[in-house]
């Protein structure tokens, strides 16, 4: 268990320290929907749907954050998408296509390995979770203890804190 806790702490440190500019860019982009006439949608790969729901009901979540399982038919340029991807990011391709079609901007939270998927390149900002599967070795040499949902939740909450900080700066 100590291995899991130590590895998880390292992932959290990487998320927070290696992507400050990306968090600022993502915050600015998503705040445009929250403070304007758009809607901020959050959607997730199937294993991360619970994480998306948790982020929507989180006390630091921006007002108006809407969880959706289906691509909104009336998506507009003023809307923004926050997408939660897993290792198999192909399920996010239809969301990306809908965003491009509506000229809406999008932010994705997902593992760095999924970022290498060239079909997702058109996303505006990528926040990496640095997760590559399990972290605790078993006796057979496999690894268990996949922290994807924990790293995604941490990244989402950190994004919300950046957004709150920007809103406070704008109002002062």
């Amino acid at each position: 268990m100590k291995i899991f806790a130590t590895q998880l702490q390292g992932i959290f440190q990487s998320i927070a320290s290696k992507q400050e500019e990306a968090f600022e860019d993502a915050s600015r982009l998503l705040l445009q929907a929250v403070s304007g006439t758009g809607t901020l949608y959050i959607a997730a790969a199937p294993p991360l749907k619970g994480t998306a729901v948790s982020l929507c009901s989180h006390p630091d979540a921006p007002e108006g954050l809407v969880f959706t399982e289906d691509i909104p038919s009336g998506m507009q340029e003023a809307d923004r998408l926050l997408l939660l991807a897993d290792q198999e990011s192909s399920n996010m391709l239809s969301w990306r296509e809908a965003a491009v079609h509506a000229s809406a901007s999008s932010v994705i939270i997902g593992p760095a390995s999924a970022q290498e998927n060239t079909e997702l390149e058109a996303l505006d900002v990528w926040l990496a979770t640095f997760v590559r599967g399990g972290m605790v070795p078993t006796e057979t040499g496999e690894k268990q203890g996949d922290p994807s949902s924990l790293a995604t939740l941490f990244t989402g909450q950190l994004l919300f804190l950046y957004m709150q900080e920007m809103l406070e700066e704008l109002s002062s």
Side-chain angles (χ1 to χ4, degrees):
M1 299 313 127
K2 189 173 185 177
I3 292 172
F4 184 76
T6 302
Q7 294 290 328
L8 190 59
Q9 184 178 19
I11 287 173
F12 288 171
Q13 284 292 338
S14 293
I15 291 167
S17 65
K18 294 181 180 180
Q19 305 182 96
E20 190 171 334
E21 188 175 321
F23 273 105
E24 290 173 2
D25 292 345
S27 297
R28 258 190 239 75
L29 194 66
L30 298 180
L31 281 173
Q32 292 171 358
V34 174
S35 61
T37 59
T39 301
L40 175 53
Y41 295 102
I42 185 170
L48 296 171
K49 284 184 182 174
T51 304
V53 171
S54 291
L55 284 170
C56 280
S57 60
H58 196 279
D60 295 327
E63 284 190 42
L65 180 63
V66 176
F67 171 72
T68 182
E69 293 187 57
D70 300 313
I71 297 171
S73 59
M75 193 182 312
Q76 301 173 7
E77 188 174 349
D79 297 335
R80 300 292 182 262
L81 298 173
L82 177 57
L83 305 173
L84 309 181
D86 59 356
Q87 296 286 355
E88 302 296 323
S89 61
S90 60
N91 50 11
M92 295 286 105
L93 291 177
S94 57
W95 281 93
R96 183 195 69 77
E97 291 168 4
V100 168
H101 181 70
S103 298
S105 297
S106 50
V107 172
I108 193 164
I109 296 174
S113 61
Q115 186 175 9
E116 296 160 4
N117 183 339
T118 57
E119 294 166 332
L120 291 175
E121 276 180 1
L123 292 162
D124 296 291
V125 181
W126 190 293
L127 296 171
T129 58
F130 302 104
V131 173
R132 300 201 183 276
M135 298 185 304
V136 180
T138 65
E139 291 179 14
T140 62
E142 295 178 28
K143 291 192 175 186
Q144 60 187 10
D146 184 348
S148 294
S149 59
L150 291 170
T152 302
L153 184 63
F154 177 80
T155 305
Q157 184 173 355
L158 195 56
L159 177 61
F160 294 165
L161 292 173
Y162 269 90
M163 291 171 73
Q164 285 179 351
E165 186 177 292
M166 281 187 177
L167 281 173
E168 289 171 9
E169 286 176 10
L170 290 173
S171 64
S172 60

